[in-house]
Amino acid sequence: MEKIPASEITPEHLYFTRRQFIAAASAVAAGALLSACGVPSPPPTARPTIAQPSPQASKGVDELGDKLTPFDTITNYNNFYEFSLDKEDVAPRAKDFKTSPWTVQVGGLVNKPRTFGLEDLLKFEQEERIYRLRCVEAWSMVIPWLGFPLSKLLAQVEPQSKAKYVRFETLLDPKQMPGQRDSYFDWPYVEGLRLDEAMHDLTILATGLYGKPLPPQDGAPIRLVVPWKYGFKSIKSIVKIDLVEAMPISFWMESAPNEYGFYANVNPDVSHPRWSQATERRIGEFSRRKTILFNGYADQVAPLYAGMDLRKNF
Ligand code: MTE
């Protein structure tokens, strides 16, 4: 697999959080650069592959005509800090991660709180969709996800009118997830969406990619995919979803508040404090390409942000 220059792979995530400074400095000094995406693993469960490739997937492109990133790349170069900060070390470390049995508890401001078993969730998995995932800030991949709209799950629990946001939580299990034994970060990993973003058709809970069950390193058995946002919003291995009134503080807002906001919409005009977001490197390509507002989904999602200053709400 090609090597990505260290400057492009987000090692800087840790640098500016006071709480983490010393730990981060020693990790970086030791050459442990933080990283995200790496050897296909066997499917985590023995369930059959049910999806047929979509028309786009069978042509090897996404719905915008962009070439799909190969399966081996998607599954061997990962960000999943619970397993490793080294993108190519996540897959080997996650290979024995137990993803069955698995439940997702959905509650908070809802009329019908419910705990869904993986079987229930797989029943919702009716369609395969192709989305581009802007993986981190400086690079991207195009991934044919298999999943179902999050709105389908939320409809089952009947959100109350007071619910304004959705808060997601990853499994907390330091025995299986060695990264959680380090106190650099506040575990578990948390993410959030505004309720209308969560209800948007493009927002999916993914259970597979390339028509196969998700491998552990990509967030098995179920992860979020929000195709118009930067990849860090796509929380992996979800066990809890709560409807809440106040904006959730995400893992990255907590870890580096000056660098990561709540919205994380892909936006070439809003630079990260330490690098421009005007261009990105598609994994597998040599030259950089221009980043597109909302990752190419402006027609569908721009109305969600009408009247908002996207420089402030980054
Ligand atoms: N979810 C959890 N629980 N832990 C993580 O470290 N990393 C995020 C996101 N979801 C992360 C996570 C980041 S920074 C990115 S870029 C994407 O997952 C990467 O997804 P991929 O490895 O499947 O490409």
Side-chain angles (χ1 to χ4, degrees), residues 36-37 78-82 135-136 170 189 218 223 231-232 234-236 252:
C37 300
N78 298 95
N79 259 334
F80 203 165
Y81 280 21
E82 285 86 337
C135 201
V136 196
T170 294
Y189 196 100
D218 286 285
R223 60 96 58 88
F232 62 87
S234 298
I235 181 171
K236 298 178 169 184
W252 287 112

Side-chain angles (χ1 to χ4, degrees), residues 14-44:
L14 293 185
Y15 288 2
F16 294 116
T17 308
R18 259 176 294 132
R19 189 163 55 78
Q20 298 155 359
F21 182 78
I22 295 169
S26 56
V28 171
L33 292 180
L34 307 185
S35 192
C37 300
V39 181
S41 296

Side-chain angles (χ1 to χ4, degrees), residues 34-111:
L34 307 185
S35 192
C37 300
V39 181
S41 296
T45 59
R47 73 188 169 86
T49 295
I50 58 166
Q52 296 303 311
S54 73
Q56 297 103 317
S58 54
K59 287 189 204 132
V61 294
D62 74 353
E63 72 275 32
L64 301 178
D66 277 1
K67 230 173 112 210
L68 301 181
T69 303
F71 181 84
D72 277 9
T73 309
I74 298 170
T75 55
N76 286 286
Y77 192 71
N78 298 95
N79 259 334
F80 203 165
Y81 280 21
E82 285 86 337
F83 291 102
S84 178
L85 304 186
D86 174 349
K87 296 179 190 351
E88 291 177 18
D89 194 33
V90 172
R93 284 191 189 235
K95 72 176 184 346
D96 297 323
F97 182 52
K98 198 162 171 278
T99 56
S100 174
W102 192 274
T103 56
V104 179
Q105 194 188 326
V106 188
L109 300 171
V110 299
N111 293 331

